[in-house]
Amino acid sequence: MSAAGSAPAVFVTGASSGLGAALAVAYARRHPAVRLGLLGRRESALAEVAEAVAQASGGRASTVALAADVTDSRALADAAARFMAEAGAPDVVVANAGISAGTLTGEPADAEVFRRIVQTNLIALPDTFAPFIAPMRARGSGALVGIASVAGIRGLPGASAYSASKAAAISYMESLRVELRGSGLRAITIAPGYIRTPMTAGNRYPMPFLTDADVFARKAVRAIEAGRGFVVIPWQMRIVAGLLRGLPNPVFDRLFARAPRKARVGASD
């Protein structure tokens, strides 16, 4: 984090709703003088999050609202430059933006949805971090946080794009963690289970250990500050995911062949 006694600077993508908004508010409560970069696609929603941050911090936090789509690497770089011009190199960068929708291979209408999910959930990770690497390396400290998912631990039928993107995100973050070893920078992977957000609101199946977004955010901020390399929230889902990962393929296939599937419509960040 930042030097002792100074307010941290935190840059969060996907900040207009869901986990990103909850993380922004959690940082404001934990560090009232936090300097926050809030990046999302919807300006009006970012304004609402900025107001929630102001309330949570007693008006002490400063925010920079940045309307951009994380699939646009140039817009991301411009937003990063704007944030650093006001707040300096961040102490924490959270690549949180993510979308989800049901996808089926062979369905022509799903092909573009598949690409969009992978671009948002995976390709945007290095694009989000890239503008900050050099200034954070020069300072010799900071955390790059990738929001993955327990859905990336085993492929879920009907959610091939989402599972694939999150599995790749986990591997990417692991590679980055090793690449940054000795630099003073930390790469941290956070894999949420089922969190109560607009993204999960339309799920038509049971969601074990469903957790409120504010509870997730508080735990995530603590995990980031503790420097944990990989954390599943809630912790019970790590056990569930581990059990699923250990199932022989024939057993897993039989169990999930008839499982309810995510609707093949829309997405939310």
Side-chain angles (χ1 to χ4, degrees), residues 64 78-90 132:
V64 182
D78 289 345
R82 285 176 55 197
F83 177 68
M84 287 191 285
E86 296 196 29
F132 300 111

Side-chain angles (χ1 to χ4, degrees), residues 156-200:
L156 301 178
S160 52
Y162 188 73
S163 286
S165 68
K166 293 302 187 177
I170 290 170
S171 291
Y172 164 72
M173 291 302 300
E174 185 169 53
S175 297
L176 184 64
R177 187 180 71 240
V178 179
E179 290 172 8
L180 295 175
R181 184 176 173 82
S183 69
L185 277 65
R186 294 167 289 139
I188 296 171
T189 307
I190 296 180
Y194 291 112
I195 311 300
R196 202 185 307 275
T197 67
M199 184 182 288
T200 59

Side-chain angles (χ1 to χ4, degrees), residues 1 3 58 60 82 85 131 140 142 153 162 169 175 196 212 217 220 246 249 259 261-262:
M1 292 297 294
R60 295 177 60 194
R82 285 176 55 197
I153 295 174
Y162 188 73
S175 297
R196 202 185 307 275
D212 288 339
N249 287 344
R261 303 182 181 190
K262 195 170 186 71

